[in-house]
Amino acid sequence: MPYERRYNLLNSKFMELFFPTLLAAIAGNFAILADAFIISMLLGPMNLSVIQSIQPLAQFINMIYWLIGFGGTILATSSKANFEDKKANYIFTLSIVSIIVISLLIMVLGLLFPDSLLQALCNSNQLKPLVYEYLKFYLLAIPFICFFVVLAYFIKTDNFVQLQFRGFLIANVLNVILDVLLINYFNMGIGGAALAMAVGYFISSIYISTYFFSSRRTLKFIKLELIKSMRYLVDICKTGFSSSSID
């Protein structure tokens, strides 16, 4: 029966989202945890205060890509279950475009008004120079992290499991290796840790973007309309709110 088929498809796809959700959480948080561990080893535990200062911003970024990535994936999967491929493609396109625009806006505002952001993140005048050294490179990493994670949600549900897994592996392995190189051998200090994260996610974003050139993919980019996009974006955010608020 059509109803039974739709239920089984939705149920199986929803269960599959557990793993990309878990990997997405690791993607955002593991890089910060890896930085904290390596910084404490190479620069001393006192520098961990910098990571603690950045953590509220990192959690805010995590919430945004969970909101759009998880919400968009659920709605796109539901649309496919109802044989509404055009709607699924629209949600996919809107999710990718939205996360790029939002993450770039956050990066630009942070780079233009670093003093205001530093004041919100850190009250210690002694610690602010170190926080800024990490923050300026972390801001550059934000668009790549957000794009990578949201796209990873979608490609997992499009049966590109290995591409998603290798993308996460590349990002985090590069982050750890470059942390050691930039801090220990290039003497970049705590800023080197954030630069390592930015480079790692830049390369992994390029790698995972090979999805767009695959003939096997079912999700396509289509033209967006302003009013329709605003309505769908609200639906995406409402759907992803429960998971992003938990994070």
Side-chain angles (χ1 to χ4, degrees):
M1 295 177 63
Y3 175 79
E4 184 177 356
R5 179 187 180 279
R6 288 197 298 269
Y7 173 79
N8 290 335
L9 179 59
L10 278 173
N11 186 59
S12 64
K13 286 296 183 180
F14 184 83
M15 293 303 295
E16 285 180 11
L17 290 177
F18 171 78
F19 293 102
T21 300
L22 179 62
L23 286 174
I26 293 174
N29 295 317
F30 180 78
I32 298 291
L33 292 175
D35 283 353
F37 178 73
I38 293 173
I39 286 169
S40 65
M41 288 182 57
L42 300 179
L43 299 176
M46 291 297 294
N47 286 275
L48 288 177
S49 298
V50 174
I51 302 298
Q52 293 173 348
S53 298
I54 294 293
Q55 198 61 32
L57 176 61
Q59 291 301 317
F60 175 70
I61 299 302
N62 290 355
M63 183 190 71
I64 290 175
Y65 66 61
W66 276 52
L67 192 73
I68 295 176
F70 194 81
T73 306
I74 289 291
L75 291 180
T77 301
S78 176
S79 298
K80 279 187 169 294
N82 289 311
F83 306 102
E84 297 177 313
D85 290 343
K86 186 176 180 180
K87 182 178 179 181
N89 289 334
Y90 197 99
I91 292 170
F92 167 69
T93 304
L94 179 60
S95 297
I96 297 298
V97 172
S98 296
I99 198 63
I100 291 174
V101 171
I102 292 171
S103 60
L104 285 174
L105 182 61
I106 293 172
M107 181 192 73
V108 170
L109 289 176
L111 292 173
L112 289 177
F113 306 103
D115 292 339
S116 299
L117 187 55
L118 280 173
Q119 188 63 37
L121 294 174
C122 178
N123 293 323
S124 171
N125 290 327
Q126 184 178 1
L127 196 60
K128 280 182 180 179
L130 289 175
V131 174
Y132 177 71
E133 284 301 310
Y134 189 93
L135 178 64
K136 65 183 181 182
F137 290 116
Y138 178 72
L139 287 169
L140 296 177
I142 288 174
F144 301 116
I145 294 173
C146 290
F147 169 78
F148 174 85
V149 174
V150 171
L151 181 58
Y153 273 110
F154 282 98
I155 68 171
K156 171 62 174 66
T157 59
D158 205 15
N159 296 317
F160 283 76
V161 182
Q162 291 302 315
L163 180 62
Q164 183 215 38
F165 175 75
R166 288 193 293 265
F168 279 111
L169 192 63
I170 289 170
N172 289 300
V173 169
L174 278 177
N175 180 48
V176 172
I177 293 174
L178 290 174
D179 270 349
V180 176
L181 289 176
L182 295 177
I183 294 175
N184 207 34
Y185 294 98
F186 289 89
N187 299 316
M188 291 190 64
I190 199 164
L195 179 59
M197 186 192 308
V199 173
Y201 276 100
F202 170 71
I203 294 174
S204 61
S205 294
I206 293 175
Y207 173 75
I208 204 173
S209 294
T210 57
Y211 168 78
F212 298 125
F213 303 98
S214 174
S215 59
R216 295 190 297 110
R217 71 185 180 105
T218 63
L219 293 169
K220 312 290 184 180
F221 283 124
I222 62 175
K223 185 177 180 180
L224 299 177
E225 301 172 10
L226 180 59
I227 302 301
K228 185 178 180 180
S229 295
M230 292 176 63
R231 185 173 70 250
Y232 275 152
L233 186 58
V234 171
D235 292 339
I236 289 171
C237 293
K238 286 167 60 179
T239 304
F241 178 76
S242 59
S243 63
S244 65
S245 60
I246 290 173
D247 179 64

